[in-house]
Amino acid sequence: MLTNRQLFLDHLAQTSDSPLALQIERASGVYMYGENDKRYLDLISGIGVSNIGHCHPKVVQAIQEQSSKYMHLMVYGEFIQTPQVRLAAQLIETLPQNLDAVYLVNSGSEATEGALKLAKRYTGRREIISCKNAYHGSSHGALSIMGNEFFKQAFRPLLPGIKHIGYNNPEDLSLITEQTAAVVVETIQGEAGIRVADKDYMQALRQRCNYTGTLLILDEIQCGFGRTGTFWAFEQYGITPDILLTAKGMGGGMPIGAFISSKEIMHTLSHNPVLGHITTFGGHPVSCVAASACIEVILEEKLTEHVSRKADLFKKHFNHPGIKEIRNAGLMMAAEFESYPVLKKIIDHAITKGILTDWFLFCDNSMRIAPPLIITDEEIIEACAVLSGC
Ligand SMILES: Cc1ncc(COP(=O)(O)O)c(C=O)c1O
């Protein structure tokens, strides 16, 4: 009989020649358990997903209850489904007043797609601006606004009318004009290797968008849901987007995303043409109850309150001699090493010692550290001791 490893390599589409290929049997809290019950401390949260830890009991219970009531009933937007309306109401509670219309989708990429269409439709303009080294997803529209040529060039033609500006570069803001439908920006850049913009820059960006009538789309797919120490990262900048993107950590481990805007803007998707964005599974009821439970856990367990202290603990105790710099926004961290080969050796060694880290799509000399927010001080200190010796 073929092993799971052989089946994986032979019959699952591969995305690289060197997958991690860890076989995980179960996961709970900050740990994943592999073959022979080998335990791995998860320092990357499935790439920014498991903010409240794996298999949080509240999420599991919500999923069990909802799946015995109903699962898929009808395409998004037709039926009144309690899990969807409850989740929308909870999301809006966490947001400023202008963000009061939630379009539920399946993933981060779909949230990006929906938002791009909404911005074109609302403004009647075609030009979209995004940042160099930006990652907003892998579907055609999201790929078009990616700020990295290496991953795009094989897939042209992509969307026309795309321009890129330097993240945190005030001089480039003049490229935003009355032609620009939307500027899409990660509030904290993730795949660029954790780049944190200045408050002044973000406020100037907001002002420039107001001046030119351009919609500001903030992508909080990776940096939202408590990751940086506030529920939404933009809260730390004193600005509000016109459209907000979320996914990843939103579902407590289940697939779901959303683009969120004002009723006035969102209304344009319902006419001329009707059904401006269609999704069969968007806002799946089982994912919605998981997301509702996830919001409750973040708020009730006050997970954001400890983020900054825990990040400081990492910075204090992670003392590998090869570290050049540590960048972070809360528990969204990057430890930079001399080169990819140097870092890769450390990451591989750490895995043998039961610690899972990673690097970044556009920054392969930096180690990704983004543990579940529930990680304890002791677990951080222990992980740093192991990593520092790798
Ligand atoms: C900032 C950001 N935007 C969008 C996406 C795309 O999300 P998904 O993989 O769910 O399509 C990601 C995924 O890594 C992301 O980090």
Side-chain angles (χ1 to χ4, degrees), residues 47 106-110 112 135-138 186 188 190-191 219-223 245 247-248:
I47 315 289
N106 292 286
S107 67
S109 297
E110 194 188 357
T112 302
Y135 185 78
H136 300 288
S138 189
E186 292 161 89
I188 309 294
E191 296 313 307
D219 179 344
E220 298 230 355
I221 289 165
Q222 195 171 142
C223 64
L245 311 184
K248 283 191 179 275

Side-chain angles (χ1 to χ4, degrees), residues 1-49:
M1 215 175 68
L2 289 176
T3 62
N4 277 355
R5 181 170 301 273
Q6 284 165 324
L7 287 169
F8 170 80
L9 294 172
D10 286 353
H11 299 302
L12 273 184
Q14 297 294 307
T15 55
S16 80
D17 290 334
S18 51
L20 278 172
L22 282 183
Q23 191 166 324
I24 300 299
E25 309 292 342
R26 64 193 170 90
S28 172
V30 295
Y31 293 107
M32 303 193 288
Y33 299 85
E35 290 160 288
N36 305 317
D37 225 29
K38 182 171 166 64
R39 195 175 80 164
Y40 298 92
L41 176 64
D42 182 1
L43 286 191
I44 54 173
S45 305
I47 315 289
V49 171

